[in-house]
Structures are given as structure tokens and as C-alpha cells.
Amino acid sequence: ITATKKTRWVDASVSIIFDTYAQPQNLLLIFNDISTPVQTRNELEQSNLAKDKLLAIIGHDLRSPMSSITGLIELLKIGDKNEQEEIISMIELSATRAIDLLEDLLCWGKTQKGVLDMETVPVNINVLLQESITYIKANAEAKSININFTGEENIIVNLDRNMILTAIRNLLSNAVKFTPAG
């Protein structure tokens, strides 16, 4: 710890210098400042932990729509013609969810590189909210949770549609995940 209370990392070597009679004469101390490599290593470790956590979450979240798609395809094979349109809609919704999760992953990768481009466009926030509710509706229904939304007026906002959509979906998803059934 320096006089300014800053932490510095050092690599220290100690050698004993002997006289001609093999008696200790002096100590040779060599200090190398290794603060930058240690700090870089710590930052890399934190980054790797964040990456691993994100990949685990994305992998878990991708499993659900992909399982739905494969299960629905099996139903499509054995279902009658009347059910097929509904099943195809459900497959499309699950595929869209999987694509959205992959987009979130790519967006996160860009933020890590510092090259994320924001594209602000005018968006009706009510449409965005309704789209997000539709996205999470099946999970909510599975837990007997109702999501109600009443938009009082059309509100147009300039925003990055994908980023806000991701944030709203994550909020709704967490709300459903951590709300008891019923």
C-alpha cells in the first residue's frame, strides 16, 4: 500500500551476499512492480466469470424454445390438419424467441468489445410493451399468472428498439420466473 493508499503489487527477490569467509555480508533486495499484469489478470478473470454466467443463462433460456420447437414438430407430424396451423404458429413463436436470445448474446458480445452501435428510431412504446407481453405470455400462463396491460395513449419514443425490447423482456421474464404460481 503506497503513501497515497494505492495498492501496488510487487515481485520481491532476496539474495544473501556472502564475504570471502562465507559469512553473510549484505542482502540484495530486488522489487519489480507487477501491478499492471496482476490488475489485467483480475479484470480478465472477472470478464470470464461474467461471460460464463451469461453463456449459462443463454444456454438455459435457449433450451426452452428449442425444446418447444422439437416437441411441436413431433405434434405436427401426428396432428390433424386443423391443429397444424396453430402448431406452426407456436413453432414460429418459439423460433423467434430463440433468435431473440441469440441477438441478445451478439449484442452482449458487442458491448464487451466496445463497438455497440445504438440505432434510435421512433417507436410506439405501447406496441413494444404488447410485443414483450406476447413473448412471455406462454411462460406466464404455464404458472397461471395473468399479465394485463392497458395503454392510455400512443406514446412515441426515440430509442434503440432492440435494446429496450431486451430490457423489457428480461424484466417481464424475471417477474414471471420469481412470481409464485397463481
Side-chain angles (χ1 to χ4, degrees), residues 1-53:
I1 306 292
T2 66
T4 60
K5 305 292 184 210
K6 187 175 179 183
T7 300
R8 303 297 293 178
W9 291 89
V10 295
D11 178 37
S13 298
V14 179
S15 296
I16 301 172
I17 301 186
F18 296 95
D19 63 15
T20 54
Y21 302 106
Q23 295 297 311
Q25 182 76 21
N26 291 307
L27 287 177
L28 175 62
L29 302 167
I30 300 173
F31 294 98
N32 288 315
D33 186 346
I34 59 168
S35 297
T36 301
V38 168
Q39 184 178 8
T40 301
R41 188 190 73 218
N42 289 342
E43 289 169 1
L44 285 172
E45 286 173 359
Q46 291 300 315
S47 179
N48 276 334
L49 288 173
K51 174 195 56 114
D52 292 346
K53 183 177 179 181

Side-chain angles (χ1 to χ4, degrees), residues 54 102-119 160 162-163:
L54 178 73
L102 290 172
E103 286 295 329
D104 291 349
L105 181 61
L106 293 171
C107 181
W108 178 83
K110 287 180 180 179
T111 62
Q112 296 304 299
K113 292 180 183 177
V115 293
L116 185 63
D117 296 325
M118 287 186 44
E119 183 183 331
D160 184 295
N162 290 333
M163 285 187 183

Side-chain angles (χ1 to χ4, degrees), residues 72-174:
L72 290 167
I73 288 171
E74 290 303 313
L75 282 177
L76 193 59
K77 289 178 185 175
I78 61 171
D80 64 28
K81 295 287 181 196
N82 295 334
E83 294 176 325
Q84 287 181 345
E85 263 187 58
E86 184 180 342
I87 292 171
I88 289 170
S89 288
M90 292 163 67
I91 290 171
E92 183 179 32
L93 180 62
S94 290
T96 300
R97 286 184 182 160
I99 289 168
D100 290 340
L101 288 167
L102 290 172
E103 286 295 329
D104 291 349
L105 181 61
L106 293 171
C107 181
W108 178 83
K110 287 180 180 179
T111 62
Q112 296 304 299
K113 292 180 183 177
V115 293
L116 185 63
D117 296 325
M118 287 186 44
E119 183 183 331
T120 57
V121 294
V123 175
N124 182 334
I125 198 74
N126 291 341
V127 171
L128 200 71
L129 290 169
Q130 201 60 51
E131 198 176 309
S132 297
I133 290 168
T134 301
Y135 179 85
I136 199 68
K137 193 172 188 170
N139 291 356
E141 287 174 351
K143 289 182 72 175
S144 299
I145 296 172
N146 293 322
I147 300 175
N148 298 313
F149 169 71
T150 305
E152 297 197 12
E153 59 184 85
N154 288 330
I155 301 170
I156 306 299
V157 181
N158 285 325
L159 48 78
D160 184 295
R161 188 179 191 290
N162 290 333
M163 285 187 183
I164 296 300
L165 198 54
T166 297
I168 293 169
R169 277 196 214 126
N170 286 339
L171 286 170
L172 285 173
S173 178
N174 285 339

